[in-house]
Amino acid sequence: MANTNTTATADTVTTATADTATIATADGTADGRPAGAAGAVWDALNAAPGGATVSALAEASGTSRATVTKALTAFEEAGRAVRAPGEGTGRGRTPDVWAPVAPTAPTADTGTDDATPAAPADDTATGAPTAPEATTGTDTGTGAGVISPDTLATAMQVLAEEADRRAAAAESLRKAQEEEAERRARVDAELRKAEQRETARVILTDLLSTVTTTLAAIAADDDQQVTRGMEDIARYAGSVRRTTRTTGRTGTGTRAPRATVDRGAPTPLRPLVAGHLNAFPDLEFTPGEIAKVLDRSSGAVANALDTLVARGEAVLTCERPRRFQAATPTGTDTGDTGHADA
């Protein structure tokens, strides 16, 4: 009876040793340690007998996560590693934990009470054949590079949240742009209204001054001054009509023109402006450029230019920026350009 048990035990040990040798040879080395990067993963796995995650093993072995995953899958298929699935789902799911399979675990059906089976020095002969049966069927269909449904669902949720955020940001930007456009339109309308009123005020004031001067000329029986005054009044009437038409187009974005008459410029200024234009008949000037040359204010120069345009002695060549040019050739007598300043 004892001989029979001894023979069975010897056969079991021999079979287990042969299977372990086959696994070791397939892994790459005779002592069971795989070759190459898998060997580094194997060392890191055995250095953490309590178990470790893929990230921890990748950091410990100095290899990539893909390499660690591939090596662990091979260890699991060979019965040399076991995986404990993480808990939870989605983002809250904990990572899987891998642990090496102890090669010294005794088989459950040795059938003997003596200490003979514990004698072999090779610890892989007792527990290696049974480990694959306990682990190979637990995670079939899972391999390196396969995305789990939970991971895919989490990725889809992240994409949906990002799409909602972008849509909300675009809507907020659109509303801000509309509000800014409305604000600018209101400001522009207020500026146009103020400019139109100022233009009307200037025209009416200068018209009143011209009417008063003409009445004084009538009282003084100055026919020449009366004639010039009536001509000025006719020109002012044209300016009033143009301003009225411009005011009626405020909704189109057209700004009202500047005053077309001189707002009481000093007597010497208008001849100086006319003289400067006639000195350069082929050039165009802005009021600011002439003001710098004459050392006068640009507003006074602009008023003088408007009066010269109304008299036909200058031409407005550009609206924005306003530019003027002489309307008469060089040498034309301009000595009486300031007659209305009295």
Side-chain angles (χ1 to χ4, degrees), residues 89-93 147-161:
T89 59
R91 294 185 178 180
R93 187 178 186 275
I147 301 176
S148 66
D150 292 339
T151 302
L152 183 59
T154 301
M156 296 299 294
Q157 182 180 359
V158 171
L159 292 176
E161 293 176 354

Side-chain angles (χ1 to χ4, degrees), residues 175-188:
K175 291 182 178 180
Q177 290 175 342
E178 290 180 354
E179 293 176 356
E180 177 63 17
E182 293 176 357
R183 186 192 67 80
R184 291 184 178 182
R186 289 194 301 269
V187 172
D188 195 40

